[in-house]
Amino acid sequence: MKDFLSEINIQLRTELKKKPNFNINPPTFGKISTDHVFLMDYEEDKWNNLRIVPNEPMTFDLSCVSFHYAQTIFEGMKAYKSKDGEALLFRPRENAIRFNKSAERMCMPQINEDIFVNAIKALVDIERDWIPNEPGTSLYIRPFMMATETTINLTHPLNFMFCVLLYPVGHLTGTFRPVNIVVEEKYIRAAPGGTGSAKCGGNYAGAMIANKKAKENGFDQVLWLDINKKYIEEVSAMNVFFVTQDEIITPLVSDTILDGITRKSVIEMLRSLNIKVTERNISIEELVKLHEEGMVSEVFSTGTAAAITPVGSITYKGYTMNFNKKMVGDLTNKLYNDLTGIQKGDIKESWGWVCKV
Ligand code: COI
């Protein structure tokens, strides 16, 4: 880390921004950013100009490739402050690995995993006073890469920027509460051979119309089906789990389903409790049947931003399935508390997931 720091040009603000008091105003997710950002530029086949600088608006030519052809990728991570004041990260190397997979799919340059992780550590270290510690809060970390080449020609760009932004946040949906989901029957999020398993901006843009329609119809989010409108894929931007009497079922990761880091952590946590988790295709018709037979006790979704979200209901073709009387289930609650407890350093774990900044 010491050697790495000497490669970063650090230029700090002389006057720091006023930090919010989350006891007075609960944070809106993703609106308040911290004082500084990490930046580096890809030019002449290598990453150059590593720097931590004040977070200020920047100027880009309007022909910038990412504005026109959506060559952007991102990650979501969180930092927590432990009871003894340490800044903690959760499985940051997993994000580095997934970031590089997204970069490969989107024809963008790789970033050395150590540089990715150490850049984040260096920035979080400088901004550690921004990590909130009110219940349900954390510092959300948004690493992203964009093509900065200036041309509207559809060429293979040579110039990119990598950036890390930080946001003190509360819960993504405001509070930890069961959400009401509607099955999306017209649009799909991803297709085989497409970009569904990459964390690229276009996936999220293409999903907005369905989420907007769901909200207009009184739902919180959508359940995405596969290209044949048969198998369940994701809930909004999260992986989904169905708790049945015999097993917990979650769709198998594929090129249309994001390989969630929270998803794989939850699977490991459940298996360590000797709970059977099956990663397999589950059709919407099978879910309806299992629900009719009273076999589905809880449904929840997993992702970095919200950690675990209880699903209160799923509506399919006008038929609504309620789960656990639309209340937070015991297992969902335990997983949320255990996962966030591990992330905050309150619960010791032996996987080596938590690392100090
Ligand atoms: C995350 O969980 O980090 C996400 O990708 C959600 C984000 C789109 C708000």
Side-chain angles (χ1 to χ4, degrees), residues 29 74-77 140 142 172 199 204 237-238 258 303-306:
F29 191 94
F74 72 93
E75 272 301 316
M77 308 162 65
Y140 186 79
R142 172 53 61 88
L172 182 64
K199 252 182 125 54
Y204 296 77
M238 301 175 82
L258 190 78
T304 300

Side-chain angles (χ1 to χ4, degrees), residues 314-331:
I314 296 179
T315 300
Y316 177 53
K317 294 188 192 288
Y319 170 69
T320 297
M321 297 171 266
N322 290 335
F323 304 104
N324 197 48
K325 299 194 178 103
K326 296 183 82 168
M327 292 184 309
V328 181
D330 290 344
L331 185 65

Side-chain angles (χ1 to χ4, degrees), residues 104-348:
E104 188 186 358
R105 177 63 183 84
M106 298 303 288
C107 222
M108 300 169 94
Q110 298 286 295
I111 297 182
N112 174 290
E113 283 171 28
D114 288 332
I115 293 186
F116 182 98
V117 172
N118 285 331
I120 287 164
K121 283 187 174 175
L123 183 66
V124 171
D125 190 26
I126 286 174
E127 303 286 61
R128 60 174 65 231
D129 289 347
W130 278 93
I131 306 176
N133 51 17
E134 291 84 358
T137 62
S138 59
L139 188 70
Y140 186 79
I141 305 168
R142 172 53 61 88
F144 77 99
M145 194 200 302
M146 59 188 261
T148 49
E149 187 96 14
T150 53
T151 173
I152 58 154
N153 194 1
L154 195 53
T155 56
H156 180 186
L158 299 174
N159 296 342
F160 297 85
M161 174 181 268
F162 173 72
C163 179
V164 183
L165 300 165
L166 304 178
Y167 296 86
V169 296
H171 198 274
L172 182 64
T173 52
T175 48
F176 178 63
R177 63 164 176 92
V179 290
N180 297 311
I181 305 291
V182 62
V183 177
E184 174 53 48
E185 291 177 58
K186 178 174 178 191
Y187 302 106
I188 55 162
R189 195 193 77 90
T195 58
S197 64
K199 252 182 125 54
C200 63
N203 286 345
Y204 296 77
M208 278 179 188
I209 189 165
N211 280 306
K212 182 169 178 274
K213 197 178 67 174
K215 289 220 163 78
E216 284 166 358
N217 290 325
F219 298 98
D220 295 297
Q221 294 165 9
V222 298
L223 182 80
W224 293 107
L225 300 181
D226 74 337
I227 190 166
N228 298 313
K229 313 278 166 53
K230 182 170 180 185
Y231 290 105
I232 292 169
E233 299 218 310
E234 293 186 9
V235 163
S236 188
M238 301 175 82
N239 298 114
V240 62
F241 288 73
F242 302 96
V243 183
T244 72
Q245 271 167 18
D246 310 324
E247 58 183 352
I248 298 186
I249 306 164
T250 187
L252 190 64
V253 162
S254 66
D255 63 352
T256 56
I257 298 181
L258 190 78
D259 189 4
I261 294 160
T262 312
R263 174 189 180 278
K264 68 170 82 163
S265 306
V266 161
I267 291 175
E268 286 187 62
M269 288 163 65
L270 287 166
R271 289 190 176 146
S272 77
L273 296 169
N274 286 324
I275 296 175
K276 183 175 171 201
V277 184
T278 311
E279 297 173 73
R280 67 165 172 89
N281 289 337
I282 170 165
S283 70
I284 186 67
E285 296 297 345
E286 181 184 350
L287 179 67
V288 170
K289 189 165 168 288
L290 286 170
H291 176 263
E292 278 171 357
E293 290 166 355
M295 293 284 283
V296 188
S297 52
E298 294 177 40
V299 179
F300 61 87
S301 57
T302 61
T304 300
I308 312 269
T309 300
V311 173
S313 71
I314 296 179
T315 300
Y316 177 53
K317 294 188 192 288
Y319 170 69
T320 297
M321 297 171 266
N322 290 335
F323 304 104
N324 197 48
K325 299 194 178 103
K326 296 183 82 168
M327 292 184 309
V328 181
D330 290 344
L331 185 65
T332 306
N333 200 36
K334 176 176 171 49
L335 286 170
Y336 179 78
N337 289 333
D338 286 0
L339 180 69
T340 52
I342 288 172
Q343 290 172 330
K344 283 188 271 192
D346 292 343
I347 299 177
K348 294 286 161 252

